[in-house]
Each structure stands twice: as C-alpha cells, then as structure tokens.
Amino acid sequence: MSSAKKHRILLIEDTVPLAKLYIEFLRADAQEVVHCTRGREALDAAAASPPDAVILDLKLPDMDGLEVLKALHARDPSVSVVIITAHGSIDLAVEAMKLGAFDFIVKPFNADRLNLTLRNALERRTLARMVEGYRKDLDRGRFHGFIGSSPEMQAVYRTIESVAASRANVFITGESGTGKEVAAQAIHRASPRRDRAFIALNCAAIPKELLESEIFGHVKGAFTGAAGDRPGAALLADGGTLFLDEICEMPVELQSKLLRFVQTGTVNPVGSGREERVDVRFVAATNRDPLAEVQAGRFREDLYYRLHVIPLALPPLRDRGDDVIEIARSFLIDYAREEGKSLAAFAPEVEARLRAHDWPGNVRQLQNVLRNVVVLNDGPQVVPEMLPPLTGAAGIAATSSDAGAPAGGVREEDGAVLPLWQVEKEMILKALRLSGDDVPRAALMLEISPSTIYRKLQQWRAADGVAAQGNAA
C-alpha cells in the first residue's frame, strides 16, 4: 500500500460488476473511490464533496454522459475526467475530449492501464491548479490598499497572506514612502483580528517625554496637564494590532519598557501601580537598517529579536517596473474626481518620464507629483508641460515656491541668499494658497507632515504677537 496521500475518485459506471472490478484496480493504487450508477447521483456527490478525478462511462441510464461531463467542468474546470468506453463509442469519446475530458480508455482494460491514466490525470490537475495560482498572482494588481502587479509586490502580497493568521510579530523595513503603514494595515485586514482595532503610533512624530504616555496611557495627576485617566495605544489596540512606525526613533530608555510589554503582555499606565493585561499583535516598521541601529547601540538587541520575528522588506518604487504607471493612473483618476477636473490619461511622453525617474521619495513622491499636476492643470490628458521638475524629494516643494528657487529650497534675491526659515515660510504659505488653505493637501504637496505646518503656523502667530506688543510699547 502506498503511503502517498489518497485522492478522491468519483467512478460513474452503471454496470455494477465492472464497477466492482474497477474499484479493486483503484484501491490497489491507494485511491479512495466513490461509486455512482447514475448521472444525477454523481453530480450530487461531486457537489457534496468535490473529487480529485472522475472516471466516467458515457452510457448512463438517466442522462447523457456528455451532459455529465459539461456539468462537472462547469462546477470545477480543473477536475480531470477520464472516459471509459466500448469500441463502438470511440467517436463519442473523441467528442468528450473536445469538451475537456483528459483521456479515454477503451474497454476492456487492466489495472495498470487504468491507474497509469489516472495518475497522469491527477498530475495534470495539480499542475493546472499551480498555474492558476501563479496566474492569479500575476493578475493581482490590488491588495489591501496596495497597487501594483510586479513580481516584487506579488512576493510582498504572498508574505502578508502567509503571516496574517499568525500571532507572530512582523518587522517591516523599507525606504520612506514605500507603504509601510499600508503593509501593516494589510496584515491586520487579512488577519483574524480584522474586526478589532488597528492602532498606529509614529514614534518619530511624538515628543519623547510624551511617548510613554501615548503607548501605555496615564492616570489623572500622573504629570502636569494629566487632567484625567487616558488609555494608551496598547489598551486601545487590545484584541487587535499595534503598529509602531519609525520604531528605531524610540528613546533607548523607553525601549526597556516596551520590551517588558512585548514579553509579558502587560502594561503599566504612567502614574499607576496596577498592571493591565492586553492582547495585541505587534507590527513595527523603520526606514533605517535596524541591525545597524543595534550595532550602533541605538536600539536594544533583545527588543530587536522580539520584534523581528517575521521580516517584511518593501521594495522601492524604482524596482517595481510598470507599477509606477498603475499607481499614477489610480492617483490621477482619484484626484481628478476629487478636484472636479477632466484629466483621465497620460500622454506617452509622460508615461516614459514617469518610468525613467528613480523616485527617491517612492510612492509618496509620486502621489505628490500627481496631486500637483491635477491641482494646477486640466484637460483630457496629462502632457509633459504639466509635470513639475522630477528632481529629488524637494522637487514638488520647489515648484510651489517662487520662480527661480532651486530644488534644494534656498532662493537667491538680488544676488543674496535668503535665510532658510524665510524660504521655508514662503513655501508653506505658497502651498496653503494653492491648496485653498487645506493643511493636509498643502502637506502632501510639500512632502511634510500636517503637524509640521500646524506647528509652524502657531510659531509664526506667536512671533507676530510678540512683535505687535513690542511695537505697541
């Protein structure tokens, strides 16, 4: 008896003595056989438990064998059907082959002939399913927020699908703008935790003195300004996923507390003596080389190994081939609809330039380029004249400043170089004018965080207030 996995074989033969003989042939080759004498009975059996292969006699008492074949293939195109027929039915068997049957055997036949044909049929089914799987991968242009059909992104999609059901921690690496938070959200959406919270925390965007409270929460009176109890990201993510972006920016002194949280699953809100148990799946991300950060002493080695269980590396846009065009088309359609513009396609020269650029800012830079194009232009298609200079990450910001400002952001005026703060202020105010004072949209144009614009505006208002008081005095 073979130790190989048994296959489920559906035998459709109305002559019972012959059926018993074929069953003995098949069981000698370690197959599981389900026998039916009528076509309708066989179709019901196939619907209840799909077979790996079918052996079909075309002469049945209740329905035509070719109709059974068509119904089987309509339900599962990959199922392999072997026709058994008498000498006088060979023309009918050939017709069945045209309808998708794998092969036919002329009665009488021995066990070796039947089992060899059946093994070939099963191998064909396995190969067909593998090819279909590869085809679906290659055709998959969208995946939980990602856009792109390149082999590099198919590998990312497969990794996310493989790890999603696990509780294992995932560590995402990639250049800025490659979609690390999109990947974290994809892991969450594909996981059994999808109906619970996904909480994202950017360790670089929060002042270090507040980061502990943001993660673990605090109780009333824990520090100046703590007017009440406040749950942190850890408690908010209970049962779901906690995404720690830019994890390598976390202060070393806080890393030990995070390590304890990862190890024990318990948190201590700031100012509280009680421990609270939470169930979270950790996903961390960085645009740095985390192992280099460990070797430099900026990131704890033990925390690294706790978080770096499943690595997921996101490819830069320059390595993703024609994904850049797929993504650009999606942004163009979305932004044109949002802005009430008619732009719907790219001129061939524009597509060539998009493909040729190396996109140091990755998808985020491409997003800003398309936002810039749509806000400032209209027409049936994007032509080369509409594109801003495709330089580095500051390229869009440069196009939002006065003419003559170089991509680096420092502008000359009458032979003098203006201070960086003044150029920065002009760029931000220009972007706000172009966006109709929409801070998030202005931030996209400048490739900065909206919080940066809000902070700068607050600083400028405070400075203007001080200046006004001085003038009044």
Side-chain angles (χ1 to χ4, degrees):
M1 179 80 64
S2 168
S3 60
K5 172 186 175 293
K6 283 188 176 184
H7 294 95
R8 181 179 175 84
I9 310 302
L10 177 59
L11 172 62
I12 311 172
E13 167 63 73
D14 64 319
T15 305
V16 175
L18 286 177
K20 290 181 177 179
L21 177 63
Y22 302 154
I23 290 170
E24 290 302 315
F25 288 171
L26 295 168
R27 286 179 177 163
D29 206 40
Q31 307 295 359
E32 175 190 342
V33 184
V34 175
H35 173 225
C36 297
T37 59
R38 295 177 176 270
R40 180 55 55 194
E41 176 193 6
L43 293 177
D44 290 343
S49 184
D52 296 304
V54 178
I55 299 172
L56 172 62
D57 186 349
L58 292 177
K59 299 294 185 180
L60 298 173
D62 65 329
M63 62 187 298
D64 184 79
L66 293 180
E67 293 303 315
V68 176
L69 173 63
K70 291 176 184 177
L72 289 168
H73 271 162
R75 181 176 290 115
D76 181 4
S78 70
V79 68
S80 293
V81 179
V82 175
I83 303 298
I84 50 178
T85 183
H87 284 290
S89 304
I90 290 178
D91 288 345
L92 198 58
V94 171
E95 181 64 23
M97 295 282 288
K98 293 179 181 178
L99 292 174
F102 172 74
D103 202 351
F104 69 90
I105 310 175
V106 178
K107 300 177 182 179
F109 47 81
N110 58 26
D112 289 343
R113 177 74 174 91
L114 177 60
N115 285 319
L116 176 62
T117 304
L118 188 60
R119 282 195 294 271
N120 290 339
L122 290 167
E123 287 180 9
R124 198 287 298 266
R125 175 183 171 85
T126 300
L127 289 172
R129 285 186 164 179
M130 289 174 62
V131 169
E132 178 64 14
Y134 292 140
R135 186 192 66 78
K136 285 182 178 179
D137 277 353
L138 291 173
D139 288 348
R140 185 162 53 177
R142 290 178 180 263
F143 180 83
H144 289 297
F146 279 111
I147 300 171
S149 308
S150 65
E152 290 78 9
M153 291 309 296
Q154 301 303 326
V156 170
Y157 304 158
R158 286 193 295 271
T159 300
I160 291 174
E161 286 178 327
S162 298
V163 307
S166 168
R167 292 175 57 89
N169 299 332
V170 181
F171 204 119
I172 305 169
T173 55
E175 297 176 7
S176 292
T178 50
K180 294 185 287 294
E181 184 165 350
V182 176
Q185 290 174 333
I187 292 168
H188 177 75
R189 290 172 183 165
S191 78
R193 298 169 177 261
R194 66 180 67 88
D195 295 327
R196 303 301 293 270
F198 173 88
I199 303 296
L201 202 65
N202 189 316
C203 300
I206 301 170
K208 63 180 181 180
E209 60 271 14
L210 297 179
L211 188 54
E212 181 179 0
S213 171
E214 288 293 322
I215 297 174
F216 302 117
H218 63 256
V219 297
K220 181 179 180 180
F223 49 83
T224 303
D229 292 357
R230 182 176 181 274
L235 281 171
L236 294 174
D238 190 19
T241 302
L242 177 59
F243 174 52
L244 298 173
D245 198 6
E246 304 300 347
I247 186 71
C248 289
E249 309 304 319
M250 178 177 288
V252 175
E253 57 270 21
L254 186 54
Q255 292 176 23
S256 60
K257 296 181 180 180
L258 178 61
L259 174 64
R260 186 176 183 280
F261 174 30
V262 177
Q263 289 175 326
T264 66
T266 60
V267 297
N268 242 332
V270 177
S272 170
R274 73 182 189 278
E275 287 189 340
E276 299 187 42
R277 180 164 293 278
V278 293
D279 169 28
V280 301
R281 204 263 181 88
F282 292 95
V283 180
T286 183
N287 59 7
R288 298 176 181 265
D289 178 348
L291 201 52
E293 294 299 299
V294 169
Q295 292 166 348
R298 292 186 291 267
F299 198 76
R300 291 182 61 114
E301 184 176 21
D302 45 7
L303 180 58
Y304 167 79
Y305 285 115
R306 281 285 181 176
L307 295 175
H308 199 272
V309 179
I310 306 291
L312 176 61
L314 298 183
L317 186 55
R318 60 183 171 274
D319 292 343
R320 292 175 54 183
D322 269 357
D323 282 2
V324 65
I325 303 301
E326 292 183 48
I327 298 168
R329 287 171 180 160
S330 178
F331 285 148
L332 180 66
I333 297 301
D334 289 346
Y335 293 155
R337 184 187 304 114
E338 183 180 316
E339 299 288 342
K341 302 294 182 72
S342 57
L343 291 163
F346 297 105
E349 304 91 327
V350 172
E351 290 196 359
R353 288 180 62 180
L354 295 178
R355 286 189 183 94
H357 191 54
D358 61 358
W359 299 108
N362 293 292
V363 176
R364 188 178 297 124
Q365 183 186 3
L366 176 63
Q367 182 180 18
N368 293 342
V369 166
L370 269 298
R371 172 70 80 179
N372 180 283
V373 166
V374 173
V375 168
L376 300 179
N377 302 278
D378 201 1
Q381 65 174 359
V382 179
V383 295
E385 294 75 22
M386 297 179 182
L387 287 177
L390 298 182
T391 55
I396 299 306
T399 65
S400 300
S401 62
D402 293 342
V410 178
R411 178 166 58 84
E412 291 187 14
E413 187 172 275
D414 298 327
V417 177
L418 293 179
L420 183 59
W421 68 265
Q422 186 173 339
V423 177
E424 176 188 60
K425 185 174 183 179
E426 289 180 4
M427 286 183 176
I428 290 176
L429 295 177
K430 180 80 170 185
L432 287 169
R433 285 197 299 273
L434 289 171
S435 64
D437 290 327
D438 185 326
V439 172
R441 188 181 301 175
L444 277 174
M445 295 172 68
L446 295 169
E447 297 190 359
I448 59 177
S449 168
S451 62
T452 300
I453 295 181
Y454 286 122
R455 188 171 62 252
K456 293 293 183 183
L457 290 172
Q458 188 176 25
Q459 290 172 355
W460 297 334
R461 290 190 189 108
D464 289 344
V466 170
Q469 289 175 5
N471 291 335

